[in-house]
Amino acid sequence: MKIAESFRISWRSITGHKLRSSLTAIGVIIGIAAVIVFMVLGGAFEANIVQDFEEDQGDPGMWVNTQNTNQGFEIVPSPIYTETDIQTLESIDGVEFVAPEANLQASQLSFGDTLQTGGFGVQAVDVEQYSEEDMVKGEMYSSGNEAVLTQAMVDTLGGAVGPGDDVTINFEGGVSEEYVVTGIVEEGFGSGPDAAVFVSLVDHYNTTVETPRGTQEQAYSSLIISAEDASAVDSIKQEATEYFETDSDAKELKQEEQDIAVQTVDDAIDQITAVIDQLTVFIGGIAGISLVVGSIGIANIMIVSVTERTREIGVMKAVGARKRDIIQLFLVESTILGAVGAVLGVVLGLGLGFLAVTFIGWPMAYPVNWILIAVAVGLTVGILSGIYPAWRAAKVNPIEALRHE
Amino acid sequence: MQEETATDGIVTLSEVKRTYYLGEPVHALDEVSLSLPEGSFTAVMGPSGSGKSTLMNMVGCLDTPDDGTVTVNGQDVGALSDGKRARLRGSELGFIFQQFNLLPRLTAAENVTLPMVFQNVVGESRRDRAKTLLTRVGLGDRLDHTPPELSGGQRQRVAIARALVNEPSVILADEPTGNLDTETGSEIMELFAELHDDGSTILMVTHERHIAEHADRIIHLVDGQIEEIEHVTENPPVQGSETA
């Protein structure tokens, strides 16, 4: 029996039971749509983050920090990068500068009557990281009791802060210091929060460690390596990584179960997208469970259909249908249900996903791979759930079937 | 007891035995030998449980003998695989049932050509064939009607057209008038007479004497054995027809 013929006959039987076929297909539609919605949301979230990263990306460069082995992502704030390391890195071809990052543990910031508790960072930063273009207003600090704020910090404080104003920072441990704001920068450096206060490194940071050579040196918990231009990023990353693996102070100073990570913006994006991908697949997998329910629905209705059409099966056998013809008819029918369910599920999923994404304000994502997978899964679900009913149909004894009422 | 030797004939049964075990063995067919010559019209009568249905299923290649052989157009049915027997049913046999047994969601034309589907005959020729046959049974204007839209007699006419579609060697009719009123039944028998006149080989099971008398001969089955083969000398006149 030609496949096209079985499509024609099966389609007739599906449309002959409109309500039943629709309800059956809905089982698959919901399953597929649920998976697609989560894939759209995951993809859109990812696209949104990547977009943010790329917007934030100022000068080409990379971060160096310490992470616990096998725990990725979680940065360990231990001072292991010495002045010697910084000087060695600065000698790499294409490096513009290497700047240490030193986070100061601040708990509260006050400007007049405005109090900001948490949600901001205070970093001791080398003056050379800034150029004139970075400044929105005012100028760079030149002494220990002066500070520069990011635009986000200014916004947090109500927008009224400007050069010449005084802010007070309460550090953890009870110390409180007053600073004069000298300037505003568009955005901060490195990985800290957007709302940040920058103060002079030389005046506010004095953690020293004993180097492997027995000397005392200032040491920092993370570094920013800035490249002269984007094309140098890869080679710098390679050389820096090599240095940290061979004869850096940091290698000797770090704990055994810690790793030194040299990450470019692209690396960070890759790392974040990998996590989002895993999360998306995990949630999608849970949504996929409903597909199992959908496939049981198809199998159920097909078994009912076989019982109901026993007589028809007998007639078809009497007029020359072989077992494989009968199997083909029922498999095609269940496959059509699965395929229609998959296609409608994809459409519904994309529609709902689009609504959700638009509502949240993320860019729309089309998870092409998952759409293909969903359609394939729909077909597979249709075929698998049709196998047993089809086999039962093929087994029908025509003599008994023709006597069947 | 008379027996025919199974030598020639488009269908032959030779010492066919078929036993069912329903608690105790039931000899549905007990060494039955029979031959259906080409162009013959044979009726089978007998009380219920006499083996009529089993005989029909044997000739219809729906069942195979426990012992003995059945041949249809020269092929030993018992030796064929399941799939080959199905193909043989489609090409050599045309079934007409008491319950009509049309597929309710297919049109008359599609029902008629259903056996062609399983023989992989495709294309426009199918529709033409359906039209020719439905015209022949008097339903040339009902091609696209579905069975629920047709009367009982019309449905049986569609079933007859379906039985003819692959030009079978034998037409098998199981109580073809059993679900029809007398007048419609007569019209159907008129159609059978026409088919017979055109040279079709027909085997018909019935329990009605006046229906059986349309055949050339009547086989009386009792307890799975042929009790008597009665040759009909004069067919009864079919209502509204001078040709029968």
Side-chain angles (χ1 to χ4, degrees):
Chain A
M1 179 180 191
K2 297 268 193 303
I3 282 279
E5 300 279 2
S6 34
F7 266 100
R8 196 172 53 84
I9 296 174
S10 300
W11 182 250
R12 205 64 72 79
S13 124
I14 287 171
T15 51
H17 297 103
K18 285 201 179 64
L19 180 63
R20 175 204 284 186
S21 304
S22 311
L23 290 174
T24 310
I26 279 175
V28 180
I29 292 174
I30 290 176
I32 299 269
V35 173
I36 295 290
V37 165
F38 284 114
M39 293 306 158
V40 168
L41 285 176
F45 182 47
E46 198 172 293
N48 185 54
I49 285 194
V50 170
Q51 209 175 48
D52 281 356
F53 258 89
E54 283 168 351
E55 278 171 4
D56 281 356
Q57 187 177 15
D59 302 322
M62 61 207 77
W63 302 284
V64 180
N65 51 45
T66 318
Q67 300 176 349
N68 282 324
T69 309
N70 297 333
Q71 283 179 23
F73 245 39
E74 202 189 327
I75 292 167
V76 184
S78 58
I80 60 168
Y81 304 99
T82 65
E83 292 289 346
T84 310
D85 285 340
I86 293 175
Q87 278 156 30
T88 312
L89 291 170
E90 275 181 331
S91 68
I92 294 172
D93 268 356
V95 172
E96 194 188 358
F97 63 81
V98 177
E101 262 196 319
N103 290 309
L104 303 178
Q105 304 298 313
S107 56
Q108 203 174 56
L109 187 147
S110 55
F111 163 65
D113 293 337
T114 316
L115 268 183
Q116 174 67 28
T117 307
F120 70 99
V122 177
Q123 289 182 349
V125 175
D126 211 335
V127 183
E128 69 183 40
Q129 281 182 41
Y130 291 98
S131 55
E132 281 306 312
E133 305 93 78
D134 294 325
M135 307 303 293
V136 178
K137 260 188 220 165
E139 55 192 23
M140 202 55 212
Y141 44 72
S142 50
S143 73
N145 59 357
E146 290 175 340
V148 163
L149 274 53
T150 59
Q151 188 61 49
M153 188 75 237
V154 173
D155 295 342
T156 309
L157 292 172
V161 196
D165 292 330
D166 287 346
V167 293
T168 307
I169 298 174
N170 295 330
F171 291 97
E172 273 166 23
V175 186
S176 166
E177 283 194 55
E178 194 166 284
Y179 295 88
V180 180
V181 177
T182 58
I184 313 294
V185 285
E186 180 61 42
E187 51 194 29
F189 275 95
S191 50
D194 286 345
V197 178
F198 300 106
V199 295
S200 158
L201 184 76
V202 278
D203 294 300
H204 292 92
Y205 193 82
N206 51 10
T207 304
T208 56
V209 295
E210 188 182 336
T211 66
R213 296 173 298 280
T215 57
Q216 288 288 322
E217 271 186 37
Q218 288 246 43
Y220 309 92
S221 55
S222 63
L223 303 176
I224 294 168
I225 303 174
S226 180
E228 279 163 5
D229 63 88
S231 62
V233 168
D234 284 346
S235 64
I236 294 172
K237 184 190 170 187
Q238 203 176 353
E239 254 184 87
T241 309
E242 217 172 278
Y243 170 68
F244 283 120
E245 280 167 1
T246 52
D247 49 13
S248 62
D249 289 346
K251 184 193 175 232
E252 303 298 329
L253 292 171
K254 75 174 177 70
Q255 310 275 318
E256 200 165 311
E257 69 280 13
Q258 291 175 342
D259 294 322
I260 295 167
V262 181
Q263 285 183 310
T264 62
V265 172
D266 288 344
D267 291 338
I269 291 175
D270 286 351
Q271 208 172 355
I272 291 175
T273 53
V275 172
I276 297 175
D277 282 350
Q278 279 182 17
L279 217 79
T280 309
V281 169
F282 174 71
I283 297 173
I286 293 174
I289 292 174
S290 57
L291 261 181
V292 176
V293 179
S295 73
I296 291 171
I298 294 187
N300 185 26
I301 225 64
M302 292 304 294
I303 289 171
V304 171
S305 178
V306 169
T307 313
E308 211 182 61
R309 281 192 273 163
T310 301
R311 195 183 179 88
E312 284 183 35
I313 296 166
V315 174
M316 289 196 275
K317 285 195 162 185
V319 301
R322 291 165 301 167
K323 274 186 178 150
R324 47 176 295 187
D325 295 325
I326 303 291
I327 287 177
Q328 192 176 314
L329 272 175
F330 278 83
L331 271 188
V332 164
E333 189 169 330
S334 68
T335 307
I336 290 177
L337 285 174
V340 168
V343 170
L344 293 181
V346 166
V347 171
L348 181 68
L350 286 178
L352 289 178
F354 180 78
L355 284 180
V357 160
T358 311
F359 184 72
I360 301 172
W362 290 339
M364 178 63 185
Y366 294 92
V368 176
N369 287 343
W370 286 101
I371 291 171
L372 296 178
I373 289 172
V375 172
V377 166
L379 287 174
T380 313
V381 159
I383 292 168
L384 287 182
S385 49
I387 286 176
Y388 174 68
W391 174 77
R392 283 224 336 206
K395 238 180 37 163
V396 163
N397 179 341
I399 298 171
E400 283 162 22
L402 289 168
R403 239 185 269 142
H404 194 272
E405 278 309 314
Chain B
M1 187 178 107
Q2 298 182 27
E3 275 194 3
E4 284 198 6
T5 45
T7 46
D8 52 340
I10 199 100
V11 173
T12 64
L13 281 76
S14 145
E15 298 184 350
V16 168
K17 274 179 96 164
R18 184 73 172 99
T19 309
Y20 295 112
Y21 296 91
L22 305 164
E24 55 189 71
V26 177
H27 299 290
L29 287 180
D30 194 1
E31 297 199 359
V32 170
S33 295
L34 177 69
S35 165
L36 301 182
E38 198 163 356
S40 65
F41 187 175
T42 310
V44 180
M45 293 189 74
S48 87
S50 61
K52 299 193 301 279
S53 295
T54 307
L55 176 66
M56 203 70 167
N57 292 337
M58 284 295 165
V59 177
C61 303
L62 290 168
D63 203 353
T64 49
D66 296 328
D67 210 355
T69 52
V70 177
T71 68
V72 172
N73 208 6
Q75 298 202 62
D76 183 352
V77 175
L80 294 177
S81 70
D82 211 61
K84 288 210 170 114
R85 255 192 299 135
R87 277 298 178 89
L88 188 68
R89 277 200 294 277
S91 62
E92 301 297 333
L93 299 157
F95 286 88
I96 297 164
F97 304 95
Q98 181 177 359
Q99 314 281 352
F100 322 134
N101 282 340
L102 301 174
L103 300 197
R105 280 176 299 274
L106 299 185
T107 64
E110 285 169 335
N111 265 293
V112 169
T113 52
L114 189 65
M116 295 173 89
V117 169
F118 297 118
Q119 301 288 329
N120 288 334
V121 181
V122 286
E124 270 303 299
S125 62
R126 275 211 327 238
R127 173 100 185 159
D128 294 343
R129 183 95 179 110
K131 192 171 166 82
T132 309
L133 287 169
L134 282 171
T135 306
R136 180 170 168 190
V137 299
L139 291 174
D141 56 344
R142 294 281 192 278
L143 262 66
D144 296 318
H145 287 58
T146 55
E149 298 165 347
L150 299 171
S151 71
Q154 287 173 325
R155 288 184 209 181
Q156 194 61 301
R157 285 166 189 272
V158 174
I160 291 169
R162 178 179 67 187
L164 296 172
V165 76
N166 280 336
E167 295 176 333
S169 304
V170 186
I171 292 167
L172 297 171
D174 188 358
E175 304 273 10
T177 59
N179 259 19
L180 301 172
D181 60 62
T182 316
E183 194 183 327
T184 317
S186 300
E187 285 167 19
I188 294 298
M189 287 324 295
E190 183 185 346
L191 207 49
F192 271 85
E194 281 175 34
L195 296 180
H196 180 39
D197 287 346
D198 291 344
S200 293
T201 311
I202 303 170
L203 179 68
M204 175 178 70
V205 167
T206 182
H207 64 273
E208 288 176 280
R209 173 89 203 162
H210 72 276
I211 295 291
E213 276 172 358
H214 286 89
D216 300 334
R217 52 177 186 164
I218 303 172
I219 292 168
H220 294 271
L221 274 180
V222 174
D223 293 338
Q225 294 185 322
I226 295 177
E227 191 192 51
E228 184 197 351
I229 295 183
E230 173 189 351
H231 289 268
V232 180
T233 44
E234 196 180 323
N235 296 132
V238 169
Q239 197 173 33
S241 166
E242 299 299 317
T243 54

